[in-house]
Amino acid sequence: MLELNEITKSFGGIKAVTNVSMYFTEGKITALIGPNGAGKTTIFNLISGFISPDNGNIQYKNIDITHLSPWDRAKLGIGRTFQDNRAFSNLTVLENVVLATKNSWFENPLNNIINYKKSKLEEEKIREIAKKHIEFVGLSEKIDTKAENLSYGQQKLLAFARLMMNDAELLLLDEPTAGINPYMINEILLLIKKLVKEHKKTVILIEHNLKVVLNIADFLYFLEEGEVKTFGTPSNVLSDPLIKESYTGL
Amino acid sequence: MLLQFIINGVAYGSIIGMCAIGLALIYNTTKIFHFAHAGIFTISVYTFYFLISKLQISLILSFFISSLFSSFIALLIDKLFYIPILNRKATSTAYTITSLAIYITIVNIISIFFGNETKILKQGIDKTYEIGSAIITKTQLLEIITYLLFFLFLFLFLSYTKTGRLLRAVSSNYKLSKALGVDIKKIRTIAFFLGSFLAAIAANLNGLDIGTDPHSGMPIFLNSAVAMIVGGIGQFIPAAISGIIIGIIQSLVVYKFSAKWQMATTFVILLIILLFRPQGIFSSQKRIEEKI
């Protein structure tokens, strides 16, 4: 589904990723792990288009997306969450989710005026879908609450609802369980599994919590100093004594 | 007498309010402190003056042609100057200096062609209406009605249309908007056009009311910037309300003290707000604690 071919990216002479090649399988959960500065978030930024590689190319469903803008990639079905929580803070939960729709017909203000009835119907339809996604992530009670008044964990759930509304097929989840209490971690893991099984999503996640990785990932890339060190199933990769030593210090 | 000054304040505040919401549309979505907004104000009123006095085009037609023309100039400024700066990933200082340079260039060009003296756009004495012991001129009334109409339009537009919500979304979180596939370029164009159109309408009304000179845009711009900050950065409608408040306070300062203290008072208000309520008078405090 997604291929990174010999990608290199430097920031002011410091190489963030060097000659990285990766392959991500459709309908699977792939985790990226590695110590801080290993290049995990840089890879997310490269896939989602926030930065461009110095060398190499990125193929998504056999389309070269290397030089596409983030919004063009989002339209192709690549959605992401961020390490720090990001929401449209002055918008309600419902508005946050409605905004993520790909339906652009009524984005045009002229359409709103010229065909008011159709616009109203479209909007109503979109709102109903958004409400279902909000219910799916368990935020129905907060539907009219402004995002800035949600807790950290709730904002993470809101990010999932937005991704679902965005109809992204490939989800890039940057530390989805960081800063979350254990109860909420289980909720989020269940949600990710449901997204893959029931909604046929493909997930790439960055995660420091190895328990989480073992729990949900199908495949695992271990990165260090901007290079891919190992790839395999979580149990195989994490049983490698060298990985254990360099990552967990054990 | 007090009522008269309040009426004058509301009328002047309507001009500030329209410019302020225009500035907020541009600043919140692009993060450019758009000094050239004052230049757009001046371009509009001088185009208006040129069309009615030199080309003898009707007042209403000239009013709208000049407003649209200056809004397109604003789009041109964005395309020719701001977007190249954005593409080079320059800092916000680069925008500020560029914007200031554009403003100065506009004012100088207008001075060369039209001179520095005040231009009167409307000959004769304005029709007046009595409100108790005070009077309101037809132009002042028009300023207030136009402000109220735009206020209502923008409230509905920002609250209930997809484009309005996208404007609020981009203003709230630019990076997330990009990640969600929002067409940032389109939103930017809408913000620049609508924001500049509001300033242009305000400029033309102000010109009809008190005339104009090449420097007339800057004091209005500064008052609008204060209204935007006092209302709360990231907000739209509060900027328009703050504009009215500033207009009334300035008018009352003239009534009680002297016109010399008008601008100083505005900036004292800004300093007090920045010290004690930096998020603005209409913004709520953000949630701090975790509740789960």
Side-chain angles (χ1 to χ4, degrees):
Chain A
M1 184 179 215
L2 178 77
E3 271 179 65
L4 274 68
N5 298 313
E6 296 175 356
I7 295 284
T8 297
K9 178 69 189 174
S10 303
F11 296 106
I14 298 164
K15 284 199 167 171
V17 289
T18 312
N19 212 23
V20 163
S21 291
M22 292 174 152
Y23 185 82
F24 300 95
T25 314
E26 195 168 352
K28 298 288 177 194
I29 301 172
T30 308
L32 309 184
I33 64 162
N36 290 331
K40 305 182 294 292
T41 300
T42 303
I43 287 170
F44 263 30
N45 285 335
L46 285 161
I47 297 171
S48 53
F50 282 89
I51 52 174
S52 300
D54 301 330
N55 282 310
N57 65 76
I58 303 170
Q59 306 283 325
Y60 175 67
K61 291 180 172 177
N62 297 321
I63 301 167
D64 188 344
I65 59 162
T66 317
H67 300 291
L68 290 186
S69 64
W71 51 89
D72 284 332
R73 294 186 202 207
K75 281 175 183 163
L76 282 175
I78 301 176
R80 76 172 285 186
T81 65
F82 293 87
Q83 204 170 352
D84 52 330
N85 255 341
R86 286 174 198 268
F88 300 118
S89 53
N90 57 359
L91 270 64
T92 66
V93 166
L94 181 62
E95 285 177 325
N96 259 273
V97 180
V98 163
L99 263 178
T101 180
K102 269 187 182 170
N103 184 331
S104 59
W105 185 85
F106 76 124
E107 262 181 40
N108 187 337
L110 287 178
N111 282 342
N112 282 277
I113 301 162
I114 296 165
N115 205 335
Y116 180 76
K117 263 191 178 173
K118 187 182 172 188
S119 176
K120 266 278 161 214
L121 279 172
E122 286 280 332
E123 167 119 26
E124 204 42 58
K125 221 160 64 184
I126 286 164
R127 277 176 176 264
E128 285 310 312
I129 300 168
K131 281 177 187 171
K132 276 184 193 158
H133 293 320
I134 291 166
E135 193 185 339
F136 184 79
V137 300
L139 283 179
S140 291
E141 282 178 19
K142 302 279 179 185
I143 200 158
D144 293 320
T145 306
K146 277 195 174 183
E148 65 189 11
N149 292 322
L150 295 179
S151 73
Y152 190 77
Q154 287 168 336
Q155 288 198 23
K156 293 234 167 188
L157 293 172
L158 175 59
F160 281 105
R162 263 199 319 260
L163 281 182
M164 290 170 73
M165 192 68 194
N166 198 233
D167 209 18
E169 291 170 58
L170 173 65
L171 312 180
L172 309 175
L173 312 178
D174 200 345
E175 299 194 31
T177 64
I180 303 287
N181 68 44
Y183 168 74
M184 188 62 90
I185 287 178
N186 284 333
E187 292 283 303
I188 287 176
L189 294 185
L190 279 173
L191 191 61
I192 296 171
K193 283 179 183 170
K194 262 167 89 177
L195 282 170
V196 174
K197 276 195 177 166
E198 294 172 20
H199 294 260
K200 310 290 175 214
K201 307 286 183 191
T202 304
V203 170
I204 308 174
L205 61 94
I206 294 173
E207 190 53 68
H208 284 292
N209 186 339
L210 294 181
K211 273 187 190 166
V212 167
V213 173
L214 279 165
N215 186 331
I216 63 164
D218 297 302
F219 300 109
L220 184 60
Y221 276 99
F222 179 79
L223 292 124
E224 199 171 27
E225 292 175 356
E227 290 179 19
V228 173
K229 293 290 178 192
T230 322
F231 169 73
T233 60
S235 50
N236 279 348
V237 173
L238 294 172
S239 60
D240 183 334
L242 282 173
I243 303 294
K244 254 188 180 176
E245 190 190 334
S246 72
Y247 191 51
T248 62
L250 296 172
Chain B
M1 198 66 170
L2 177 66
L3 180 64
Q4 184 63 61
F5 277 90
I6 289 174
I7 288 170
N8 292 349
V10 173
Y12 184 55
S14 300
I15 300 294
I16 299 171
M18 280 191 275
C19 276
I21 198 163
L23 186 64
L25 278 165
I26 295 167
Y27 180 80
N28 291 340
T29 47
T30 64
K31 301 292 175 269
I32 298 171
F33 201 74
H34 183 45
F35 277 102
H37 202 54
I40 296 300
F41 184 99
T42 319
I43 288 175
S44 184
V45 68
Y46 269 88
T47 311
F48 185 35
Y49 168 74
F50 180 76
L51 292 174
I52 48 173
S53 65
K54 306 288 179 195
L55 301 184
Q56 313 284 324
I57 295 173
S58 78
L59 193 84
I60 294 172
L61 197 58
S62 301
F63 190 96
F64 286 106
I65 291 173
S66 55
S67 303
L68 288 171
F69 172 72
S70 51
S71 306
F72 280 111
I73 295 286
L75 290 184
L76 205 63
I77 289 170
D78 186 41
K79 299 276 178 274
L80 292 179
F81 301 102
Y82 295 151
I83 289 179
I85 292 172
L86 176 77
N87 292 338
R88 284 189 207 104
K89 296 185 169 36
T91 61
S92 58
T93 315
Y95 289 114
T96 309
I97 301 295
T98 306
S99 194
L100 203 52
I102 294 166
Y103 164 72
I104 292 166
T105 309
I106 290 170
V107 168
N108 276 290
I109 291 172
I110 287 172
S111 296
I112 290 165
F113 283 99
F114 293 95
N116 276 319
E117 70 280 7
T118 302
K119 303 285 182 200
I120 302 299
L121 278 79
K122 203 176 165 194
Q123 303 300 329
I125 298 165
D126 217 357
K127 194 176 174 186
T128 57
Y129 306 94
E130 280 183 28
I131 302 174
S133 58
I135 55 161
I136 184 166
T137 67
K138 192 179 164 187
T139 311
Q140 281 181 322
L141 193 62
L142 200 61
E143 285 169 356
I144 297 167
I145 291 169
T146 310
Y147 165 86
L148 289 173
L149 287 176
F150 270 110
F151 186 92
L152 184 67
F153 164 75
L154 282 163
F155 175 75
L156 296 173
F157 173 70
L158 291 166
S159 306
Y160 300 110
T161 70
K162 170 94 177 177
T163 314
R165 277 196 294 266
L166 286 172
L167 274 163
R168 283 159 59 209
V170 174
S171 109
S172 168
N173 199 323
Y174 184 82
K175 206 171 171 182
L176 180 60
S177 305
K178 273 191 351 182
L180 280 177
V182 174
D183 190 341
I184 303 280
K185 281 182 193 164
K186 193 167 88 183
I187 294 301
R188 189 183 175 98
T189 304
I190 292 169
F192 259 99
F193 187 83
L194 194 55
S196 304
F197 189 70
L198 279 162
I201 296 281
N204 292 352
L205 286 169
N206 192 57
L208 280 175
D209 191 11
I210 57 168
T212 191
D213 66 65
H215 303 277
S216 61
M218 190 45 92
I220 304 268
F221 169 80
L222 292 174
N223 280 320
S224 314
V226 173
M228 181 179 78
I229 298 165
V230 167
I233 290 287
Q235 310 280 328
F236 295 100
I237 298 298
I241 301 169
S242 303
I244 294 284
I245 296 170
I246 288 172
I248 294 172
I249 292 173
Q250 286 206 352
S251 195
L252 292 179
V253 167
V254 176
Y255 172 59
K256 280 283 173 196
F257 306 102
S258 152
K260 284 188 292 187
W261 293 99
Q262 259 183 312
M263 279 309 270
T265 311
T266 309
F267 282 93
V268 168
I269 294 167
L270 175 68
L271 290 174
I272 293 168
I273 295 291
L274 286 177
L275 276 175
F276 296 103
R277 211 176 154 80
Q279 77 272 28
I281 49 175
F282 295 103
S283 296
S284 55
Q285 288 277 9
K286 284 188 181 173
R287 183 184 191 284
I288 299 166
E289 79 288 359
E290 289 277 326
K291 280 184 178 166
I292 291 184

